[in-house]
Amino acid sequence: MAALHLLGGDQLTDLLLIIVSAALVNNFVLIQFLGLCPFMGVSSRIDSALGMSFATTFVLTLSSVVAYLLQTLLLIPLDAMWLRTLAFIVAIAVAVQFTELALKKTSPLLHSVLGIYLPLITTNCAVLGVALLNTNRAHTLAESAFYGIGAALGFSLVLILFAGVRERLQLADIPAPFRGASIALITAGFMALAFMGFTGMIRL
Amino acid sequence: MADYQIRRCERQLEGGIHPETQKALSTTDSCIFVGDPKRLVFPIHFSGGGPGEALVAVADIVSQGTPIIKCQSGITHVASRAGKVIDIIDHEIAHPAATKSASIIIEPSGLEDQNYLDPLVWPFDADTLRNRAIEAGILGLGGAGFPSFKKWSEGMQTLIINGAECQPYLTTDDTLMRIDTHSMIRGASMLSQSLDIKTIIIGIEDNKPEVLEAIESALKESCSDCFFDVVLLDTKYPSGSERHLVWLTLGIEVPTGSHAVESGVIVHNPGTLAALSRAIDGKPITDRIVTLTGEALAAPQNIVVPIGAPISHLIEATDTNPESLTSITIGGPMMGYSVTNFTAGITKTTNCLLAREVDIPPESPCIRCGACATVCPVRLQPQQMVFALKGGSLDRAIHEGLTDCIECAACNAVCPSHIPLAEWFRLGRFEARDKANDQRLAAKARERFEARNMRLKRISLEKEAKRAVRQAKTADALEKARKARKESA
Amino acid sequence: MTDALWTIGAGVAGLSVIALLGGILLQYASKGFSVDGNPLVNSIDALLPQTQCGQCGHPGCKPYAEAIAGGEPINRCPPGGQDTVDRLASLLGVDILPLDADDATTEQDLVAIIIEKDCIGCTKCIQACPVDAIVGAAKLMHTVIVDECTGCDLCVEPCPVDCIDMIPRPKSPDYWMPTRPNIISSDRCGQIGIQHG
Amino acid sequence: MIKRPNYPPMDTQIVMCTVLIALVPGVIAMTLFFGVGVLLNLATAIPAALAAEAICLGLRQRPILPRLNDLSAVLTGALIALSLPQAAPWWLIILASTSSIMLGKHLYGGLGQNPVNPAMLGYALMLISAPVTMTTLWIDPLATPDLSTAWLAYLGQSSDAVTGATMLDLYRTEFRALTAAEASQNPLFTQAHLGFIYGYEWVALAYLVGGLWLIYQRVITWHTPMGLLVTLTVVSAFFSFDPDTATPVWIHLTAGAGIFAAFFILTDPVSGATSPKGRLWFAIGVGILTYLIRTYGLYPDAIAFAVLLMNFAVPMIDQYTRPRIMGRGSSIRGSGGQS
């Protein structure tokens, strides 16, 4: 993306590319098929999709930073990289629990709407995936944070768009056997097909 | 000579359509009176002005002008001819509900027996005029049948005479404004002066040059103190919708959910004002002009008929055999409704009987082409609303603005899939009304439930307190008694 | 051997540190974000039909709303019908359950009416009415205020002389509803009660 | 003088028919430059689409004839036929056409219910499933094949002599290493066709004529084509400061499916945005995505993916581009929740 180099320094360009790559080209839901559970579960209404997006964005960004810090400050000095997965899951669980408490206070309706999916962010493979991919790719702190943000943006984008489509599908005259989850899964497949158009855009 | 000006409207209706007007079909220079029918039918609850009660009993003899129905809104309907009440039964009515409803049947005697009110003498105040409108049964004669006096609140700035008559085929107002111009202007002036309104706007579409001429000459003869602003509108449907006329002539957008009156504007049909003028002279509404038109009629024309005359009687007046028609549309091709039973009597709101063969092609699925949105005069998205309604979601349709629909049916006219959009919206609006009513009842029930719980709680607390006092007293007494016993022992 | 011990020690220490930090954070968060009451109850209550009939097993709609917020099934409200269940499911993001009711007639909008000539004026129905929609005094005839009656039928049982009937809610004489336009054949037929055609 | 209709034609069938007529100039131009393969595509795709439509309607126990008569399946078939490579084998065309109708349309309930453009869905499915066939079998306008060559290609034995990559593809691959001056030495530029540089431009012009006629007939509005073409022009002009690496604006507009899509694909009312403002945003989105995917992506022509991507954004666009209702302070936003 030569043009982007003209817009800012290389450092900034790289960070932007990381965001675009994580959000669109290697979209976590539609290309890497991570985080499908909340994608199918919380996409029947736009407002709950929005809430889930905010919660996931927060958790993803927070947990990728925390995971980075854990790794550099604790796991590497202790030479305990084998604990990575375990440590990350604990960190993510804490972040999710924190979000849940905060959400319960600030928006009880959203808290109830997100219901089971909120604690499930803990086991949202996208979250753990981001943390692990960050360490695999030896991202710096800023890169980790931006990768998390990019993944979250991509997740939010497809979740909200998908919720919009599903709200329309609820009114459509869908053949009886395909109603509900089946047409949603098919549509998600077509959405993944459309996102394949981004393939090859950024090679990172 | 009254002060007046004639101007062309500077605003353009957004959306709207140009249907073939077909007005020439029924336009005539004069208006004939037809003979009295054999019987007159007055629905008790559907004559306009809300549900009513009969003021007469079977076998009563009534004069022309005797009150026979009193509505909830106060409006009184009178017998349009002298005669005898022969029955009060469930009878077919000319109404989109297409049901039978309790009606008073009167057999005209043919006698010139009139029972009119006393003429009002100027000056009179607004309350006198309101009472007169109630007694004379003045309703919006344009089709909606809203009790006119309810619009006459204080602080109004403008009276608009809605002479647009934008629906195709209709020439009722056209005829009235040409042959009864003076009554209309007099009624408007009297109303304006009693309400302290200075400006009267007359809105007419530019396809009625004869009306303009008639109004101009009438205004020259009039000695009204009001300023008359005659506005020529482009011929486009639905420029005669109340909120659109207000916007076209004054530039005021009547906010959603409110009426023109709340924006300081009264809008009346020319016929209503002419009827008001006669009511001031003591004559309640007994007759009205009806346009009989359509390609299926032998002699389309405008006629003056007594209220309550059966539809078949009107059809016969055009040299057409009623049995040759399967159905007739009441109220014009756009917003009218179909009636198949011709024994129903016309009401004050029946402005047009339209007989024509229409071949509506079968409906096909909506392709979201947006033609309806292009012509929607309130800028709704009919395609989205009908998608929601057909999908079973009233809430979504309401969110899209269903309750703002004026049911003008311009969308119906342009839909390439021939979807009866306006029918869906009418149904949706009725359902929305019921739903709002349910919610209101639920809110009331919640309030009462909570109030009762509070009361029960308070009562039980009071009882508790009383019992405590009582117990304390009893304990006290016992203690005293015990002490006394001890002492005595 | 020391390596292994070191590794295990590091692991235990690392995890302990993480757990400690996380625990402290959450401890403070739970204090800082503690909530009083449950505002969700009002949103649920708004969807209930407010008949206060008690068929859900709770004395009124508000208590049932509280119970739902506490996790009770959403399908216990026969007067609300399946429609209410669907709305609740949508609000709370839970699965739609079939209505837990004996028959389908419960959805009909009814009101109580007192056969006035039979009424002995015992005031039992007045005490039973959850919305104070029955007026009257002891030994005097009672009457239902139709507009306020929710059709809960709680007054029918207590009446010692069986003088209370449930009738369909009377409509204004000029009430009417437009007919539904024909719909071209659709898989939604069942959903909106139209025959295949 | 043709009478200009007041409203869109009064029937779905007439709407579809008008669009089909508007395709005719483009089809003629394509046949002239790319050979009878175009007609073979049409002759295969349209019956396949009709058959698929009939089968689906039959399975759903719906009246078949009225839906076949409205010509919507014919139009979908025609659009997919014109989008596919001209030397495409028969199985590809049939697969593309039937999957358009069955997956793109009837899975969602048939005409008027589909959230994505059926033709573009079929195209994208084929592009993913048979990438080589879909990218190499384009006819070289300098070597218009005769009937027998076209027939052989139809049967699956295409000849390298007449096929190749498209102009857009050349710019992405071969020309990238060349300067603008070197690229202009390509025979496509040097061998002028009837005054124009190469065949693509004639085809684009023919589609433009058909498209403008559609606007004149009020079947489509100007918003969508204008939105796409202006966006594509502006974006590609903005990034073409280095003529040696960038694909020229002119190529962006005429060499790919740009004009064809602007007037015939994006204007599909069912899957597109529904308000004029929404249509504009939809087209702008497609324009930007098309440029991005064409320039940085793997696929030579990006219209299909860009259209599909924006199709998924349509419900959101619709919710935020409603016109302000008369009498209301602001326009309604959002979906108003569920049920």
Side-chain angles (χ1 to χ4, degrees):
Chain A
M1 298 198 89
L4 278 175
H5 285 275
L6 295 163
L7 299 174
D10 277 2
Q11 190 72 40
L12 187 63
T13 313
D14 279 353
L15 293 180
L16 278 177
L17 284 183
I18 284 177
I19 288 194
V20 175
S21 160
L24 299 178
V25 184
N26 298 308
N27 186 288
F28 270 77
V29 180
L30 295 178
I31 303 295
Q32 311 201 25
F33 302 119
L34 294 171
L36 280 174
C37 170
F39 179 67
M40 296 309 294
V42 202
S43 56
S44 54
R45 290 173 67 190
I46 290 180
D47 36 3
S48 49
L50 271 171
M52 188 65 178
S53 301
F54 286 131
T56 313
T57 306
F58 185 71
V59 171
L60 258 174
T61 318
L62 193 68
S63 64
S64 46
V65 171
V66 169
Y68 176 84
L69 292 177
L70 272 183
Q71 177 179 316
T72 40
L73 298 182
L74 204 66
L75 298 182
I76 292 180
L78 286 176
D79 192 20
M81 281 303 277
W82 50 276
L83 266 179
R84 201 173 54 167
T85 313
L86 204 56
F88 287 177
I89 287 179
V90 174
I92 291 166
V94 171
V96 169
Q97 193 62 43
F98 181 80
T99 317
E100 186 175 0
L101 287 169
L103 206 57
K104 200 170 182 179
K105 171 79 175 177
T106 48
S107 170
L109 185 60
L110 187 60
H111 178 259
S112 138
V113 166
L114 294 178
I116 185 71
Y117 296 103
L118 195 58
L120 273 183
I121 299 179
T122 316
T123 51
N124 182 341
C125 35
V127 182
L128 186 62
V130 168
L132 290 176
L133 283 172
N134 267 333
T135 56
N136 277 358
R137 296 177 175 199
H139 280 154
T140 63
L141 177 63
E143 283 170 345
S144 298
F146 274 78
Y147 195 65
I149 292 172
L153 285 181
F155 179 80
S156 309
L157 175 76
V158 296
L159 185 64
I160 292 166
L161 291 187
F162 190 54
V165 174
R166 280 187 79 177
E167 278 200 351
R168 181 171 160 186
L169 291 183
Q170 275 156 9
L171 301 176
D173 181 23
I174 309 227
F178 290 104
R179 291 256 175 81
S182 29
I183 197 71
L185 278 166
I186 293 168
T187 312
F190 289 157
M191 222 166 154
L193 176 74
F195 266 72
M196 285 181 84
F198 290 120
T199 316
M201 251 198 188
I202 294 165
R203 296 177 189 86
L204 275 180
Chain B
M1 178 179 136
D3 195 10
Y4 73 95
Q5 69 166 17
I6 297 174
R7 65 179 167 108
R8 183 155 259 292
C9 179
E10 72 272 29
R11 291 180 195 84
Q12 291 272 323
L13 192 67
E14 265 184 71
I17 55 172
H18 296 280
E20 286 182 42
T21 56
Q22 305 286 8
K23 300 221 186 222
L25 213 57
S26 58
T27 312
T28 40
D29 283 336
S30 59
C31 201
I32 61 155
F33 289 76
V34 296
D36 289 350
K38 289 195 183 64
R39 50 199 243 151
L40 299 164
V41 183
F42 301 90
I44 296 173
H45 307 302
F46 289 92
S47 282
E53 53 178 310
L55 301 178
V56 288
V58 178
D60 281 3
I61 303 292
V62 292
S63 314
Q64 184 178 22
T66 306
I68 53 169
I69 297 166
K70 176 119 183 129
C71 296
Q72 230 167 46
S73 55
I75 291 283
T76 313
H77 297 288
V78 302
S80 54
R81 289 292 180 269
K84 183 183 170 196
V85 178
I86 55 168
D87 216 346
I88 298 180
I89 48 159
D90 267 3
H91 194 276
E92 276 81 13
I93 52 168
H95 190 272
T99 49
K100 287 186 170 188
S101 179
S103 307
I104 299 173
I105 317 286
I106 291 178
E107 190 177 57
S109 57
L111 299 174
E112 283 285 316
D113 173 17
Q114 288 162 342
N115 175 18
Y116 287 169
L117 304 154
D118 298 327
L120 292 182
V121 183
W122 182 259
F124 44 77
D125 60 2
D127 275 334
T128 319
L129 199 62
R130 280 187 203 110
N131 283 334
R132 175 49 55 98
I134 289 171
E135 288 165 341
I138 307 278
L139 298 168
L141 297 184
F146 188 76
S148 303
F149 73 93
K150 288 193 177 174
K151 294 182 179 176
W152 302 341
S153 33
E154 303 299 325
M156 295 291 115
Q157 272 102 48
T158 321
L159 169 68
I160 299 182
I161 305 180
N162 184 354
E165 196 160 55
C166 54
Q167 277 217 67
Y169 286 96
L170 263 72
T171 51
T172 317
D173 297 343
D174 181 21
T175 311
L176 186 126
M177 286 189 287
R178 277 187 289 128
I179 65 174
D180 211 3
T181 330
H182 291 279
S183 307
M184 175 183 88
I185 303 239
R186 178 167 172 263
S189 307
M190 292 258 185
L191 174 62
S192 304
Q193 280 164 19
S194 67
L195 287 173
D196 210 20
I197 292 172
K198 298 279 178 281
T199 317
I200 299 174
I201 293 176
I202 307 180
I204 51 173
E205 282 192 339
D206 58 5
N207 58 357
K208 301 179 185 63
E210 301 89 351
V211 172
L212 185 64
E213 236 167 74
I215 286 177
E216 200 172 355
S217 68
L219 285 177
K220 279 183 182 146
E221 291 166 30
S222 161
C223 49
S224 166
D225 291 339
C226 299
F227 172 68
F228 285 82
D229 184 10
V230 185
V231 184
L232 276 179
L233 311 161
D234 289 346
T235 301
K236 195 179 196 187
Y237 180 83
S239 56
S241 129
E242 181 173 288
R243 16 188 80 226
H244 291 93
L245 193 66
V246 171
W247 182 76
L248 284 169
T249 54
L250 291 168
I252 298 173
E253 262 190 35
V254 179
T256 292
S258 74
H259 293 283
V261 178
E262 286 151 66
S263 305
V265 185
I266 301 176
V267 183
H268 274 312
N269 176 271
T272 312
L273 292 168
L276 179 66
S277 164
R278 272 188 288 276
I280 290 169
D281 295 337
K283 189 175 185 298
I285 298 185
T286 55
D287 296 72
R288 72 156 294 147
I289 300 180
V290 178
T291 303
L292 303 172
T293 186
E295 290 79 359
L297 293 184
Q301 58 187 302
N302 282 285
I303 59 172
V304 179
V305 275
I307 308 293
I311 292 169
S312 57
H313 181 69
L314 278 72
I315 299 173
E316 277 160 11
T318 64
D319 304 333
T320 311
N321 182 5
E323 279 163 27
S324 68
L325 305 171
T326 49
S327 77
I328 201 151
T329 305
I330 295 186
M334 305 298 292
M335 304 176 74
Y337 52 91
S338 194
V339 170
T340 50
N341 191 307
F342 299 155
T343 58
I346 65 152
T347 63
K348 289 175 183 172
T349 56
T350 313
N351 49 5
C352 173
L353 298 188
L354 171 66
R356 57 169 188 169
E357 301 293 319
V358 273
D359 195 18
I360 299 172
E363 182 184 344
S364 62
C366 170
I367 53 167
R368 294 185 10 125
C369 67
C372 45
T374 321
V375 300
C376 180
V378 275
R379 295 187 292 265
L380 293 168
Q381 300 278 297
Q383 72 279 38
Q384 304 281 63
M385 278 159 38
V386 87
F387 190 63
L389 285 174
K390 284 188 173 185
S393 175
L394 182 64
D395 291 352
R396 214 95 57 97
I398 293 174
H399 181 76
E400 290 277 349
L402 177 67
T403 45
D404 289 55
C405 171
I406 58 166
E407 291 172 38
C408 69
C411 44
N412 275 11
V414 298
C415 180
S417 299
H418 315 294
I419 299 167
L421 292 130
E423 277 76 25
W424 280 101
F425 300 152
R426 170 179 284 190
L427 176 72
R429 283 160 56 84
F430 271 71
E431 279 174 356
R433 179 201 63 187
D434 276 13
K435 196 182 145 188
N437 196 35
D438 284 353
Q439 277 171 352
R440 191 180 53 80
L441 287 180
K444 210 159 82 177
R446 184 182 297 124
E447 218 169 85
R448 294 180 70 88
F449 176 66
E450 272 160 18
R452 176 173 182 269
N453 282 355
M454 293 281 282
R455 195 190 69 222
L456 291 182
K457 203 172 170 186
R458 198 188 63 231
I459 289 173
S460 78
L461 281 179
E462 275 168 12
K463 272 187 186 160
E464 195 67 38
K466 273 184 193 157
R467 194 180 303 130
V469 171
R470 234 181 7 248
Q471 267 173 0
K473 265 188 193 161
T474 325
D476 241 20
L478 274 177
E479 191 68 20
K480 269 180 195 161
R482 203 176 294 139
K483 268 184 189 165
R485 209 182 303 139
K486 261 185 187 169
E487 275 166 20
S488 68
Chain C
M1 189 60 197
T2 31
D3 270 4
L5 276 179
W6 168 245
T7 312
I8 292 168
V12 171
L15 275 185
S16 311
V17 172
I18 297 170
L20 190 67
L21 289 177
I24 291 169
L25 175 74
L26 288 182
Q27 176 62 31
Y28 277 101
S30 65
K31 275 194 182 149
F33 290 126
S34 66
V35 257
D36 308 323
N38 194 348
L40 183 63
V41 171
N42 285 335
S43 314
I44 298 174
D45 193 36
L47 292 182
L48 295 174
Q50 304 303 325
T51 43
Q52 321 294 359
C53 63
Q55 291 181 60
C56 51
H58 298 273
C61 294
K62 189 80 175 271
Y64 181 43
E66 278 156 11
I68 293 177
E72 206 175 281
I74 55 171
N75 61 345
R76 301 268 165 85
C77 181
Q82 190 63 43
D83 203 33
T84 301
V85 180
D86 295 352
R87 280 162 199 276
L88 284 171
S90 162
L91 172 77
L92 300 169
V94 297
D95 287 337
I96 291 175
L97 301 168
L99 185 66
D100 183 18
D102 298 338
D103 46 26
T105 55
T106 43
E107 278 190 46
Q108 214 184 347
D109 192 12
L110 298 174
V111 287
I113 187 153
I114 294 176
I115 303 163
E116 294 175 348
K117 69 175 171 51
D118 294 345
C119 177
I120 53 169
C122 67
T123 74
K124 284 208 166 93
C125 57
I126 297 182
Q127 289 158 32
C129 180
V131 291
D132 288 339
I134 304 179
V135 288
K139 303 274 169 68
L140 292 171
M141 186 189 71
H142 307 334
T143 262
V144 177
I145 309 168
V146 173
D147 254 12
E148 322 247 285
C149 176
T150 64
C152 66
D153 84 7
L154 290 180
C155 52
V156 176
E157 194 65 25
C159 182
V161 292
D162 266 352
C163 75
I164 302 182
D165 277 351
M166 298 304 291
I167 57 162
R169 186 179 293 276
K171 294 212 163 19
S172 163
D174 64 342
Y175 175 90
W176 69 286
M177 192 57 125
T179 48
R180 183 171 279 271
N182 289 327
I183 191 166
I184 44 176
S185 57
S186 153
D187 276 19
R188 291 172 297 212
C189 295
Q191 191 182 327
I192 49 181
I194 304 273
Q195 291 300 304
H196 237 290
Chain D
M1 172 96 186
I2 312 160
K3 189 171 174 257
R4 188 173 188 208
N6 255 334
Y7 319 111
M10 294 290 285
D11 210 281
T12 312
Q13 190 186 17
I14 300 173
V15 172
M16 301 290 173
C17 195
T18 318
V19 181
L20 283 169
I21 293 169
L23 282 171
V24 168
V27 172
I28 293 174
M30 279 183 83
T31 316
L32 281 177
F33 288 102
F34 302 114
V36 284
V38 178
L39 297 180
L40 287 174
N41 279 10
L42 283 170
T44 315
I46 292 175
L50 282 173
E53 176 99 354
I55 290 170
C56 288
L57 287 168
L59 284 175
R60 298 183 69 198
Q61 297 169 345
R62 296 299 166 78
I64 296 177
L65 270 184
R67 288 290 81 74
L68 290 189
N69 276 340
D70 68 23
L71 298 179
S72 62
V74 176
L75 183 60
T76 307
L79 292 178
I80 187 89
L82 295 174
S83 315
L84 291 174
Q86 300 86 19
W90 59 273
W91 53 266
L92 185 81
I93 306 167
I94 290 181
L95 270 181
S97 184
T98 47
S99 59
S100 291
I101 296 284
M102 290 184 167
L103 302 181
K105 192 167 147 192
H106 276 285
L107 221 47
Y108 290 96
L111 183 60
Q113 313 280 339
N114 46 304
V116 295
N117 187 315
M120 288 301 102
L121 182 74
Y123 180 90
L125 273 173
M126 291 306 111
L127 193 53
I128 299 294
S129 322
V132 179
T133 322
M134 286 291 286
T135 47
T136 57
L137 291 182
W138 298 88
I139 297 286
D140 183 347
L142 293 179
T144 310
D146 56 13
L147 183 59
S148 59
T149 323
W151 182 248
L152 278 178
Y154 181 68
L155 294 179
Q157 299 156 352
S158 60
S159 139
D160 285 347
V162 294
T163 59
T166 63
M167 197 74 196
L168 276 171
D169 218 9
L170 288 177
Y171 263 99
R172 282 185 60 256
T173 50
E174 289 178 27
F175 292 179
R176 188 148 276 189
L178 307 177
T179 63
E182 284 166 343
S184 67
Q185 292 309 306
N186 187 284
L188 276 170
F189 293 110
T190 52
Q191 298 195 8
H193 259 272
L194 299 165
F196 276 83
I197 302 171
Y198 56 95
Y200 299 107
E201 286 170 352
W202 277 108
V203 173
L205 185 69
Y207 279 127
L208 182 68
V209 169
L212 291 177
W213 183 68
L214 276 188
I215 294 181
Y216 181 79
Q217 288 291 314
R218 301 200 191 206
V219 169
I220 60 173
T221 58
W222 57 267
H223 303 86
T224 317
M226 189 77 136
L228 176 63
L229 297 178
V230 168
T231 310
L232 208 51
T233 312
V234 168
V235 176
S236 55
F238 182 77
F239 287 107
S240 64
F241 35 72
D242 181 5
D244 289 343
T245 52
T247 313
V249 180
W250 189 239
I251 301 293
H252 265 297
L253 283 179
T254 60
I259 303 242
F260 171 66
F263 289 98
F264 296 97
I265 298 288
L266 270 71
T267 50
D268 168 33
V270 179
S271 57
T274 195
S275 64
K277 205 161 104 192
R279 285 176 183 159
L280 215 48
W281 281 114
F282 176 73
I284 289 173
V286 173
I288 293 172
L289 285 172
T290 303
Y291 178 81
L292 286 177
I293 300 176
R294 273 185 184 174
T295 313
Y296 303 109
L298 275 186
Y299 300 100
D301 204 347
I303 296 271
F305 289 113
V307 168
L308 287 182
L309 285 166
M310 286 312 289
N311 277 162
F312 285 108
V314 157
M316 294 305 284
I317 295 178
D318 279 348
Q319 286 177 16
Y320 289 88
T321 55
R322 292 187 189 99
R324 184 182 63 84
I325 294 172
M326 185 179 182
R328 293 212 192 194
S330 57
S331 53
I332 308 166
R333 280 154 199 279
S335 71
Q338 194 196 14
S339 103

